[in-house]
Amino acid sequence: MIKRLLSLLLIMFSFTVAFGQAFRLSRPTIDDPENVYEGLASNGVTQIVPQGDSLTWFGTGGGLSKTADFGQTFTSYYRGDFNMPRGGISAIAVLDSIIWIAGVFDSSTVVGSQQTGAGLAYSKDYGETWTYIPQPIDGKDDDTQLWDGDTVSFLPILTPVNNTTWDISLNRIDDDSIYVYITSWAGGIRRSQDFGITWERIPLPRDKDDLLPCGTTIDFEINPRDPAQQGNHNHKGFSVLAYGDTVWVGTANGVNFGIVESGDCIRWRHYNAQNSNLAGNFIIALGRQLWQGEETIWVAALTAEGAGETRAACKTSDGGLTWSRTLVGERIYSFGFQDSIVYACTEKGLFKSIDGENWALYNPVVDVNKNAYIFSQDVYAAYVDSREDTTYLWLGTSDGIAKTVNDGLLWTVYRKSLSTSTPNQPSIYAYPNPFAPSFHNVLNGDGHVRIQYYLDEPAQIQLQVYDFAMGLVYKGEPRQVLYLGDNSETWNGRSSAGDLVANGVYFCKLTQKINGREKSYWTKLIVIK
């Protein structure tokens, strides 16, 4: 038994997790004892999901956030009385008034830090009240389950370690019930018909199988360990999409297209890079595009272990019988759709295509009104919101949220920061601090630190940076700032001559000139390489 448990702890996520960095962002320190607070929970945003007439939900590295007024205000949740899972939000799904979320955090194990399932939570009233569901695990004797009238062997998953829910899909069965499908990597693919009171494990084909029909005796164990340990990569679930009688599941060995034939059987066809034109076997995202009566399923494929695999967006319009590739070589996190338009969120930024073949890359996001930059090429999520008269395009990145109403000509940036207008706060501060130019907020080869301040009225602003001996190393150009409220200036850690400064303590001087009156504020910054 001990050997079996240790083998489960050693189930390793052998491919890089797409959103790992965002989930490790620290949550702001809040003294307010309430579990709901104003602002974003974190600037690492990997999920954007609409609900109802005006709600928009954001999964962040610091928890769950929402706006009910299209970005005018944001509210976030802490774990506690509202029954939130701890850590970052790894998945969100909504259906009518129902919302489900999942959480993930890092835990220390005998083999080092491992990603761990923090459980799930759901609300039936648009997020007003919540019910927490522990991460589904098995008992030590749960090594079989009935499926399609047959007894099927399952490897019991005894721990939440590496049992992390990366996707959720809600599918209405009838007026009174829904299926909740989850993919939890080592936890496999499960569904619940009673809002998480009980979970049913779902068998998938082995790596070598193209089909798993109903009525077939399953004479192998459903086992998410590696093939060298008698397991199957296709039993490691990462993405899921369920609607009507159809279920798509992305795993570490391709895509599974399922048709629900009865309440206790799903007929599966298994596609991977070895038996189809899929580019790679690790499927981290699924998307469904409906346009002019045609359904197209999009998948984000990364390389796994097979020879000849590559990264790409792959699509099918015939249930997987034929696949085509596009954006070959790009690391894709997710998709967004608007009629015939496809948005691909990638590590290089946001791509857009009007035909699914030819792509244009958006320029880096800049909010010219607030002089606010998104210092991240990675775009994790995109959503086109047409619920108001104005259509918005939302983006989620590791450095905040961006929104545009004119296809990227002008952006509004939303970020989590502590306002200097808050009582007992300094007039300016630098963050991150210490600042590592090679690591923090890197864009186009340069890292960036922000100097945060607040304006009650328009002002001319100038930033200067001095070394510990009070020698001037950087002098920014004065600029007129008209935006009232929280603002920031940025510095890339370079001298006015363009050289990276040495490790050490620096002093930032921010000068505000208002109606001819000049006032300067100072803050200390530590630079490390």
Side-chain angles (χ1 to χ4, degrees):
M1 187 64 242
I2 293 176
K3 182 178 179 181
R4 190 180 183 92
L5 177 58
L6 286 175
S7 69
L8 283 172
L9 288 171
L10 290 169
I11 295 174
M12 298 298 293
F13 190 176
S14 54
F15 319 111
T16 302
V17 176
F19 311 132
Q21 180 180 358
F23 290 131
R24 290 170 172 80
L25 296 176
S26 296
R27 184 160 68 181
T29 299
I30 300 293
D31 294 328
D32 190 342
E34 297 295 326
N35 294 97
V36 179
Y37 60 93
E38 294 182 0
L40 288 172
S42 166
N43 289 322
V45 179
T46 60
Q47 308 277 328
I48 305 176
V49 178
Q51 186 178 34
D53 295 330
S54 62
L55 270 177
T56 307
W57 297 96
F58 302 90
T60 85
L64 181 67
S65 300
K66 70 177 180 181
T67 179
D69 49 24
F70 302 98
Q72 295 183 51
T73 59
F74 291 86
T75 304
S76 297
Y77 297 82
Y78 275 151
R79 181 176 181 242
D81 291 344
F82 279 85
N83 295 317
M84 294 287 109
R86 64 183 291 193
I89 302 301
S90 54
I92 304 176
V94 302
L95 180 64
D96 302 327
S97 64
I98 301 167
I99 174 172
W100 276 75
I101 64 172
V104 62
F105 66 97
D106 286 343
S107 61
S108 297
T109 73
V110 294
V111 293
S113 179
Q114 297 291 298
Q115 289 182 322
T116 302
L120 304 104
Y122 70 84
S123 171
K124 296 182 179 180
D125 51 15
Y126 296 98
E128 292 298 318
T129 59
W130 292 86
T131 300
Y132 175 74
I133 304 294
Q135 186 68 27
I137 60 175
D138 306 315
K140 63 180 181 180
D141 297 323
D142 292 336
D143 55 358
T144 61
Q145 178 188 286
L146 285 177
W147 180 261
D148 193 22
D150 194 13
T151 299
V152 179
S153 295
F154 286 82
L155 177 71
I157 307 301
L158 309 178
T159 172
V161 176
N162 281 318
N163 174 9
T164 48
T165 298
W166 293 109
D167 206 1
I168 307 171
S169 188
L170 307 180
N171 191 17
R172 186 170 295 283
I173 304 168
D174 52 45
D175 292 340
D176 299 320
S177 59
I178 65 170
Y179 269 131
V180 181
Y181 288 87
I182 62 172
T183 47
S184 303
W185 194 243
I189 300 88
R190 302 180 186 230
R191 69 181 181 184
S192 176
Q193 196 176 342
D194 53 16
F195 280 83
I197 297 173
T198 60
W199 293 93
E200 181 181 33
R201 295 168 291 185
I202 299 177
L204 286 180
R206 291 171 293 185
D207 293 351
K208 65 180 182 180
D209 295 332
D210 296 341
L211 300 170
L212 185 59
C214 291
T216 300
T217 298
I218 301 176
D219 57 2
F220 54 88
E221 184 180 54
I222 308 303
N223 182 341
R225 291 183 295 191
D226 290 341
Q229 298 173 297
Q230 292 73 53
N232 285 274
H233 291 316
N234 197 46
H235 296 163
K236 300 169 181 161
F238 203 89
S239 49
V240 61
L241 177 63
Y243 53 93
D245 64 351
T246 299
V247 184
W248 293 86
V249 175
T251 72
N253 190 253
V255 181
N256 298 269
F257 170 53
I259 298 296
V260 180
E261 290 196 349
S262 65
D264 62 354
C265 187
I266 302 175
R267 180 179 79 245
W268 295 106
R269 179 178 289 273
H270 175 212
Y271 302 102
N272 58 23
Q274 286 67 52
N275 66 12
S276 72
N277 195 41
L278 275 180
N281 279 342
F282 184 23
I283 307 303
I284 68 167
L286 295 162
R288 185 187 184 209
Q289 182 186 22
L290 300 175
W291 173 240
Q292 293 184 339
E294 183 175 274
E295 174 190 79
T296 301
I297 300 298
W298 290 80
V299 304
L302 300 181
T303 58
E305 293 184 343
E309 294 183 33
T310 187
R311 301 172 175 180
C314 302
K315 60 179 179 175
T316 180
S317 297
D318 55 14
L321 295 178
T322 58
W323 294 89
S324 62
R325 306 178 183 184
T326 185
L327 284 177
V328 175
E330 301 296 341
R331 184 193 183 105
I332 300 160
Y333 299 124
S334 66
F335 301 98
F337 307 103
Q338 182 188 21
D339 299 330
S340 65
I341 299 172
V342 183
Y343 297 92
C345 305
T346 81
E347 67 177 356
K348 290 183 181 177
L350 183 70
F351 284 89
K352 175 184 177 180
S353 175
I354 60 174
D355 60 7
E357 299 294 338
N358 301 287
W359 299 85
L361 179 64
Y362 281 79
N363 291 324
V365 172
V366 181
D367 185 333
V368 296
N369 187 34
K370 294 185 288 186
N371 193 41
Y373 294 78
I374 294 289
F375 290 124
S376 169
Q377 287 185 296
D378 291 286
V379 173
Y380 293 129
Y383 169 65
V384 179
D385 194 339
S386 302
R387 291 173 294 175
E388 276 199 320
D389 293 337
T390 302
T391 297
Y392 303 106
L393 171 61
W394 290 93
L395 300 187
T397 77
S398 61
D399 193 36
I401 299 170
K403 184 181 75 173
T404 180
V405 298
N406 49 22
D407 202 29
L409 294 177
L410 294 171
W411 292 94
T412 301
V413 170
Y414 306 93
R415 303 191 72 260
K416 179 64 181 179
S417 61
L418 186 62
S419 175
T420 57
S421 66
T422 304
N424 302 318
Q425 293 300 319
S427 298
I428 68 169
Y429 66 88
Y431 74 102
N433 192 3
F435 166 52
S438 61
F439 178 77
H440 290 130
N441 300 322
V442 177
L443 184 65
N444 298 326
D446 274 338
H448 299 83
V449 61
R450 291 181 169 94
I451 313 300
Q452 192 77 13
Y453 63 96
Y454 188 92
L455 287 182
D456 289 314
E457 52 186 315
Q460 180 180 281
I461 301 294
Q462 185 177 33
L463 176 65
Q464 295 169 286
V465 181
Y466 296 80
D467 61 21
F468 194 73
M470 294 309 294
L472 181 64
V473 296
Y474 170 80
K475 184 177 181 180
E477 293 295 326
R479 71 180 188 91
Q480 193 69 26
V481 177
L482 303 178
Y483 181 80
L484 304 185
D486 293 300
N487 282 275
S488 64
E489 300 299 303
T490 60
W491 179 49
N492 62 3
R494 295 183 179 272
S495 68
S496 294
D499 301 319
L500 277 174
V501 300
N503 291 347
V505 176
Y506 293 82
F507 299 95
C508 303
K509 178 185 177 183
L510 188 78
T511 301
Q512 299 179 4
K513 189 174 183 180
I514 301 175
N515 297 326
R517 302 186 308 274
E518 192 172 283
K519 188 172 182 179
S520 295
Y521 303 89
W522 293 82
T523 191
K524 183 169 68 174
L525 172 68
I526 299 174
V527 176
I528 57 176
K529 293 181 182 178

